């Protein structure tokens, strides 16, 4: 079923192809200028740090719902191995196999395509098994350090977590910004809290993934208007799932990644951050969320840290 | 062959077991206090960012010299898969298998043991195949954001890179600190540049690994005296290889990780950082170098970023 | 809780340590002599072949019940890659990550130990992370081709499958041999059919694993008395699970693998074989069930074929 | 550069598309009839067994020459884990990551495509990252048990191994058949020995892969004329490498796999088999070489056994 006219209308309004030149591969991360970074560092006033990644473990968020996306599988290669002889220093080494989108992660801009295109109008066929993403692979992102802003939609609404059928709207984002007394600015990385990750933390992987609150198809325009650099949240699917428009699957992915060229993050644990923002009395902070530079990859685990 | 008396003498002088309590699992990272982080953030004056990780790819630094430590092996799980039907949004997913110490990485405190012990006096046998590190696994590190200091030993000596038989001494570190007009403080993360990674970047993996300059067995006392939080460099083996004392293999690992409880980093690309420090006229910066929280792991890939 | 006296009594009666010399690493497979193989080949009278392996796929029998035993995870490395230029011959390559005991498999003799020992009295500590099994690894098995005998316990009892609490006893084995009009001989590979794999084939992975019928702790003596070379069945755990004697877990594994030195196979699909035996009117056949020679491994996938 | 006319001429002569119906996915393995299998079993007269697989280990034949084809990487998941409590039966489990074409293997018919087609005229695009081979994946092969014939080209020529620039011709195959006093028949699996694997066994991986003797582009017609079921040899690339016709890469793969629908095997260790054939005085035997049924895979490790 072709994408509906409504989708294409929004796509036109948020499209950034060519905005940073034909050769650009990183999209809205261009908005994180030196000036933005200086201002972000100025957010550090207490030194308090809050980690946002889930542990990487075999019993992670993947339930089998998404085929081929396996939880981190950790094995030992050496254990206290006296490689240089008895009574010498012994070494332990380990290895992992994992889906790059399995845990707390960033989607690369190439994680989705639509109508045969990826970000900046390049052909989707430039993604191959032998090279991965020829363009806009996650390794093309040099660094992600910027101001982070928590839009705590659940807290703003006075609930622990949003219900599974709640599509987070632009109005919700406005309310959350007002709740946090924060104005979203160009180059910001916006973290949207639904509280949904509590379902996983309570042991219900299936319930975590589906049904899930998430971003509405109308949010990309809100992010575009504010020149947001990247957006992450605390759900498996990022956008509301199942979708708000019947048979229109993953429209937010297509708008954010393909049209705007804006990275998305999923499975971020924003619970402690919500608490910290409340205690510090501030919903903005320095955020470091550096991708692991997997060559050609369409995603990456990330271990973000907010610093107040 | 048992560890020599000289080793045990140094070990006593740098030992931190019990310093942060019997339950401690993170060692010198305790030294990164909120105050240290505030001061680190104050290093950001230009907004310039320098990434320090090598690309994660099959053609990485591992040459087969270290058995079982495989370069990142990246494969595709989905490519433009129209999972919801024709003409819908298509997704691409990928996966990786890799040695956790294969690329730019942190050693966890459990990466080595000696005399049957790991950091804080715990038994080496607490590392198992099924659980990995019961104590001091890399997932126990909540965050690594601090002040970074580049001790550019090669630049201080006016050479591109140190020769393969050069053990970096405390005096070398002093000279490099003077060269950079920087004083190493409690909680700093020290990056020691030898220039050795140029050998890898020029395509010679074997020459990169061996012979290699690296830290002398006398450096742990220097770091200990200054309460350094962590140390990383631009070599495969961290310490000089082959070792400076015959048949005493990996003594620096044993002193740093087991006795001091101080994380080590290897295969960090410090070339652009050296250039940036020269251009900015400063050898200190905000450093973010967050481990990926692999549960029980004895190491982790890391994608550090220096911010000036 | 120490192993009970009853276990040790049986252990003494079935113990084969030293029977084939102190250096032996393959146990009862020594019983498959050239003469046995000639007789096995003489079983081929129709040319009909029946494969006994489950497909190797991500949706395999592992449900997460056994930590760290992951189903085969298959990914593409190249897809129609014109590696030598446009319009040339294109290649496709793939890779897999899997638990060696995840699917239709053989346990190596080292898969279990008890009281610090593996088969032939060697120390369990000879299994290490860096080398795997120093002794009796699956790669030490040169070949497995012998006469196969199906003991169709379910069919002999006139049921589709045995109930989950049914421990297959020596008497059951006798009945099944009589049902199949077959006499088990020295060097035979015995396949014991419970029908339990139907539960997996019907889509219920959890029900397949637990509760499960399986071999009773009294069967090793039956196999020992007949000098059987190896035994496989159509369950996840091989032996009845939960066990017939409270708190005595995996006794059959310990008796078969450690004491007798007899390979065990699990997750073999014996459904078509049962049908074929009925149609051919014979419960013996040539069986090929060659391990993949993974160096030092404690198990291996296997794709057995019965030939009538 | 398009495939030359000479290639297309041969292709027409050996093409089997439609021969076993439009739905066929296994090609020349259709030739292994019950009658062929009965005759194969009749080859067993001594009971002597010869394994033909190389050990599966990290130090395998892959040298990095073929990107993405990694040697088996074996790690431990559990080591003597007393999962049910102290002094109980302890278990050891392991896992592997490997390229399916990395070691002694079968290519599936989908391992190569040309002109956008795979065997039986199906589109090459039916191979996808998420499903692998929709048609003719290695899991579609139900079993491989047949008569094996060793064509010992090196021995027939009185050399240890063929030189690196030797293309094995139809005349060479005739000579080797005469040397072995064997007539190749319909349904046979032919093993062609060049002796090249000695180079790997002597420790020279690079020399093993390149330059390498191998089958000439003229051999597919020889196999086609005799209705051979499958062919394997003792080289990395199967066909002579670099190729005999400039810029015509992998033509034998394209002819055997795509046009004829005939499986190819590589990296088979035929050294002991050569000795055994000499000692037994016979170059034909029962051959079992069952693929591991990886769903959708374009190749599989295999552990073949010859039985005399």
């Amino acid at each position: 079923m072709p994408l509906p006219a409504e989708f294409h209308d929004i796509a036109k309004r948020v499209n950034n192809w060519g905005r940073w030149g034909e050769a650009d591969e990183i999209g809205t991360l261009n908005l994180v200028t030196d000036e933005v970074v200086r201002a972000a560092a100025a957010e550090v006033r207490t030194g308090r740090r809050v980690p946002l990644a889930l542990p990487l473990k075999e019993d992670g968020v993947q339930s089998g719902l998404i085929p081929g996306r396996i939880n981190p599988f950790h094995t030992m290669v050496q254990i206290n191995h006296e490689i240089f002889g008895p009574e010498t220093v012994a070494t332990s080494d380990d290895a992992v196999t994992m889906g790059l989108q399995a845990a707390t992660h960033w989607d690369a801009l190439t994680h989705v395509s639509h109508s045969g295109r990826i970000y900046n109008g390049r052909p989707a066929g430039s993604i191959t098994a032998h090279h991965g993403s020829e363009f806009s692979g996650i390794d093309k992102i040099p660094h992600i350090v910027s101001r982070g802003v928590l839009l705590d939609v659940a807290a703003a609404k006075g609930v622990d977590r949003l219900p599974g059928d709640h599509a987070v709207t632009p109005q919700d984002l406005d309310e959350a910004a007002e709740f946090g007394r924060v104005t979203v600015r160009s180059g910001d990385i916006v973290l949207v809290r639904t509280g949904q990750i509590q379902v996983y933390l309570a042991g219900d992987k299936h319930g975590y993934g589906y049904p899930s609150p998430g971003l509405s198809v109308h949010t990309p325009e809100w992010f575009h208007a504010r020149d947001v650099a990247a957006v992450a949240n605390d759900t498996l699917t990022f956008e509301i799932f199942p979708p708000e428009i019947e048979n229109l699957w993953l429209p937010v992915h297509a708008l954010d990644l393909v049209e705007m060229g804006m990275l998305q993050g999923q499975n971020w644990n924003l619970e402690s951050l919500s608490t910290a923002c409340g205690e510090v009395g501030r919903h903005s902070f320095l955020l470091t969320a550096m991708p692991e530079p997997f060559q050609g990859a369409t995603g990456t685990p990330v271990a973000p840290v907010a610093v107040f």
Side-chain angles (χ1 to χ4, degrees), chain A:
Chain A
M1 179 169 300
L3 297 166
E6 180 179 3
F7 172 84
H8 288 291
D9 289 346
I10 302 175
K12 267 179 217 149
R13 294 196 291 269
V14 301
N15 185 281
N16 280 327
W17 298 1
R19 179 173 172 188
W20 296 283
E22 285 190 6
D24 181 58
E25 303 189 37
I26 66 169
T28 53
L29 284 172
N30 283 290
L31 297 163
V32 185
T33 61
D34 285 0
E35 188 181 356
V36 164
V37 173
R38 286 197 302 271
E43 296 281 342
V44 178
R45 284 174 249 163
T46 71
R48 178 170 177 171
R49 292 138 284 164
V50 182
L52 310 180
L54 295 169
L56 291 163
K57 58 179 178 176
E58 196 181 343
D59 191 23
V61 295
Q62 300 303 321
S63 64
L65 179 72
I66 307 175
R69 195 174 282 188
I70 61 163
N71 285 313
F73 173 59
H74 175 256
T75 56
M76 295 306 294
V77 173
Q78 297 182 352
I79 299 176
N80 297 310
H81 181 31
E82 294 181 331
I83 198 165
F84 297 107
E87 298 186 58
T88 58
V89 176
T91 56
S92 295
D93 259 41
D94 33 16
V96 75
T97 297
M98 67 181 292
L100 291 175
Q101 297 82 6
T104 303
H105 71 275
W106 283 120
D107 288 340
L109 298 184
T110 50
H111 175 55
V112 306
S113 61
H114 79 82
S115 313
R117 297 285 151 183
I118 57 168
Y119 168 67
N120 227 0
R122 293 193 175 93
S126 58
I127 307 170
T128 59
H130 52 287
H131 281 151
S133 310
E134 184 180 347
F135 304 103
S136 290
I138 202 69
D139 54 313
K140 300 294 174 64
I141 308 296
H143 31 65
I144 301 187
V145 179
S146 191
R147 189 173 82 137
V149 168
L150 178 66
L151 297 185
D152 195 338
V153 178
K157 292 189 179 298
V159 298
D160 274 351
R161 58 182 178 89
L162 302 177
D165 63 352
H166 186 96
V168 172
T169 62
Q171 186 178 335
D172 290 338
L173 298 177
D174 283 329
E175 285 173 10
E178 190 174 357
F179 171 83
R181 295 192 305 275
V182 67
T183 304
V184 171
R185 301 192 304 232
S186 175
D188 278 351
I189 297 173
V190 173
L191 313 183
V192 180
R193 180 170 170 272
T194 69
Q196 177 71 4
I197 210 159
Q198 295 165 20
V199 181
Y200 164 69
L201 296 173
D204 180 4
K205 291 185 192 190
H206 286 278
Y208 170 56
Y210 177 91
S212 175
L215 297 183
S216 159
V217 71
H218 302 295
T219 56
E221 287 181 87
W222 194 93
F223 298 124
H224 187 254
R226 283 151 188 82
D227 268 347
V228 164
V231 178
N233 75 6
D234 54 354
T235 70
L236 186 74
T237 46
F238 192 74
E239 50 194 283
I240 181 169
F241 198 79
E244 55 199 312
I245 299 170
E246 200 177 347
N247 288 324
L248 180 53
W249 301 88
L250 302 180
V252 182
H253 280 70
L255 294 167
D256 286 355
L257 299 169
V258 179
E259 298 292 332
M260 295 179 62
M262 184 180 77
L263 288 204
Q264 292 183 171
Q266 282 126 287
N267 302 317
W268 292 38
N269 184 349
L270 305 177
E271 297 304 294
S272 297
L273 183 64
S274 173
T275 303
C277 285
E279 291 174 359
V280 174
R282 187 156 41 98
H283 281 68
S284 59
F285 36 83
L286 174 69
L287 180 71
T288 83
M290 181 64 193
E292 299 293 334
F294 288 103
Q295 193 170 278
T298 69
T300 179
V302 65
V305 181
V307 190
F308 287 88

